Amino acid sequence: MNRELTRIARLRRVVRVLLVIVYSATLVWFVFCLFGGYLLASADYATNVQTSQYILYGFIFFCVLHFALMRGLQSLGGQETALMGRIVGELFPEARFNPAGGVDREALAESRLFGDASTLPSPEATSYGRVELPVGEQTMQICDVGITPQHDKGLAANPLTMLYRSIMRPIFGTRIESSMHTFRGMFGYCRTQRRFKGYVLLLPDHLEDKLGYLAQSVQRIRQKNGAKFVHLEDPEFESLFAVYADDEVEARMVLTPTTMRRMTGLRRSFNRDLMISFRGDTLYFASGTPDGFLRPGRRSLADERLLEQLYREIDFCRTVGAEMK
């Protein structure tokens, strides 16, 4: 696949250059709209006419570059989707890759990893593909999802917030389509053989120390749903996860010493923050991947690390399902 990877890497560099130019020009235009009137007010008629001509030429040039950027993004997305479908098919013949597959919003809400639909604003979810992976007799759904919480719409009314998210984040961000999301990455779920009473949440131990939507969601869940912090007698496990549950006895029944050791090993092998929840008869998990879960990472297009990374991520999902069985 080296030729395809090289072509995608080259196209991605072209798209990145176009993106920086187009969004930088948009930023300049925004600043000009705010302060340009003061500069032109003191200029004479000839200067104003000449400035208008420059603006017209710049607008035409901007339209050409914007059209090229949109075509480049469309072509890049198609090539990446085709490549990922081929890679998933080669590495996991039993899996089914659906680039147009959506995420189950009910499962997203039931997981409580991004809020609780009964008490918190329901987040908006955008799916960038789905993998269906057999795990025993069950089928695990793993989605590449972007989460945009509803309460962020109020922030979007702030011009500075819109300027940052609409212009600044695409310039410096990993992927342009992720710039409006507060979470982009993997979200998976699978039914288990037992049914859990209440719910158990396993979150990165440092999550509440950070500012952001996920930390706020945890705090609201604790306040409105009576979620309690559960202290467990495994220092290594607690260095990776903070456990919240509405029933401490149930949490201890789910998180036995053997289960905690296995989950500690899984988390260390994954080497990325992981969120897990048990509710009803379903296991849910999520992990942030700024490049996108079902998209080739920008740092791994030059060699086999792309295949290794994707294999580890999907195999990790399969292992989680088998271990929690």
Side-chain angles (χ1 to χ4, degrees):
M1 301 180 182
N2 184 60
R3 182 176 299 178
E4 295 174 65
L5 291 171
T6 302
R7 184 168 58 248
I8 290 177
R10 188 183 303 116
L11 179 57
R12 184 174 288 181
R13 285 194 293 270
V14 172
V15 168
R16 168 57 61 177
V17 171
L18 289 172
L19 186 147
V20 170
I21 295 175
V22 168
Y23 278 80
S24 297
T26 304
L27 180 61
V28 171
W29 175 252
F30 181 83
V31 174
F32 178 79
C33 290
L34 291 178
F35 305 105
Y38 299 103
L39 298 176
L40 296 178
S42 59
D44 55 23
Y45 177 77
T47 301
N48 286 336
V49 171
Q50 190 175 25
T51 301
S52 300
Q53 292 177 344
Y54 289 151
I55 292 175
L56 178 60
Y57 296 149
F59 180 74
I60 294 174
F61 183 65
F62 173 85
C63 289
V64 172
L65 290 181
H66 185 270
F67 176 78
L69 174 62
M70 294 299 102
R71 292 297 299 270
L73 287 172
Q74 183 180 11
S75 177
L76 179 62
Q79 292 186 34
E80 287 183 336
T81 299
L83 176 68
M84 295 305 288
R86 180 183 170 191
I87 291 176
V88 172
E90 293 281 355
L91 296 179
F92 301 93
E94 73 279 13
R96 180 184 175 187
F97 173 64
N98 183 359
V103 60
D104 188 332
R105 295 178 181 271
E106 183 177 349
L108 203 66
E110 289 292 324
S111 73
R112 295 199 179 184
L113 295 176
F114 306 99
D116 182 3
S118 63
T119 57
L120 301 176
S122 178
E124 289 189 350
T126 303
S127 178
Y128 297 95
R130 184 181 67 215
V131 172
E132 299 175 7
L133 187 67
V135 179
E137 299 179 356
Q138 302 293 337
T139 299
M140 175 176 285
Q141 309 284 337
I142 317 168
C143 304
D144 183 358
V145 65
I147 302 296
T148 307
Q150 291 279 9
H151 65 75
D152 267 17
K153 289 184 176 181
L155 295 176
N158 187 320
L160 293 179
T161 302
M162 283 300 298
L163 176 65
Y164 170 70
R165 288 200 171 181
S166 302
I167 301 178
M168 302 299 294
R169 282 188 67 175
I171 294 176
F172 300 102
T174 303
R175 302 190 67 92
I176 183 174
E177 70 269 21
S178 302
S179 60
M180 294 300 290
H181 299 315
T182 52
F183 174 88
R184 172 73 188 274
M186 169 203 305
F187 171 71
Y189 53 97
C190 182
R191 293 186 180 277
T192 62
Q193 293 181 344
R194 65 164 293 180
R195 187 171 187 85
F196 307 101
K197 298 178 182 178
Y199 63 89
V200 181
L201 297 176
L202 281 68
L203 303 169
D205 67 321
H206 57 83
L207 187 63
E208 285 190 298
D209 296 333
K210 292 185 176 181
L211 296 176
Y213 168 63
L214 294 180
Q216 294 172 9
S217 294
V218 174
Q219 293 168 1
R220 293 182 182 183
I221 287 173
R222 292 181 65 184
Q223 293 171 1
K224 296 187 179 182
N225 296 276
K228 306 171 185 176
F229 174 77
V230 180
H231 175 69
L232 301 169
E233 293 73 27
D234 188 328
E236 187 177 10
F237 178 83
E238 290 199 327
S239 69
L240 299 173
F241 295 104
V243 180
Y244 299 92
D246 57 352
D247 187 332
E248 184 173 347
V249 175
E250 177 69 9
R252 293 181 179 276
M253 291 180 64
V254 172
L255 299 172
T256 63
T258 301
T259 301
M260 286 191 288
R261 285 196 300 270
R262 289 179 174 178
M263 296 187 71
T264 298
L266 286 171
R267 166 60 180 81
R268 293 200 184 283
S269 68
F270 193 52
N271 196 29
R272 186 180 293 139
D273 280 344
L274 183 66
M275 302 181 291
I276 299 176
S277 70
F278 305 90
R279 191 178 188 192
D281 61 349
T282 307
L283 160 72
Y284 306 91
F285 59 93
S287 181
T289 52
D291 277 338
F293 168 52
L294 295 176
R295 292 292 185 272
R298 62 177 178 177
R299 298 181 179 178
S300 59
L301 283 171
D303 53 38
E304 68 278 4
R305 284 181 299 168
L306 168 63
L307 306 180
E308 294 174 353
Q309 176 185 346
L310 184 66
Y311 181 84
R312 283 198 303 268
E313 290 178 349
I314 296 184
D315 186 59
F316 169 80
C317 300
R318 182 170 56 181
T319 305
V320 166
E323 291 286 348
M324 294 300 102
K325 191 175 179 181

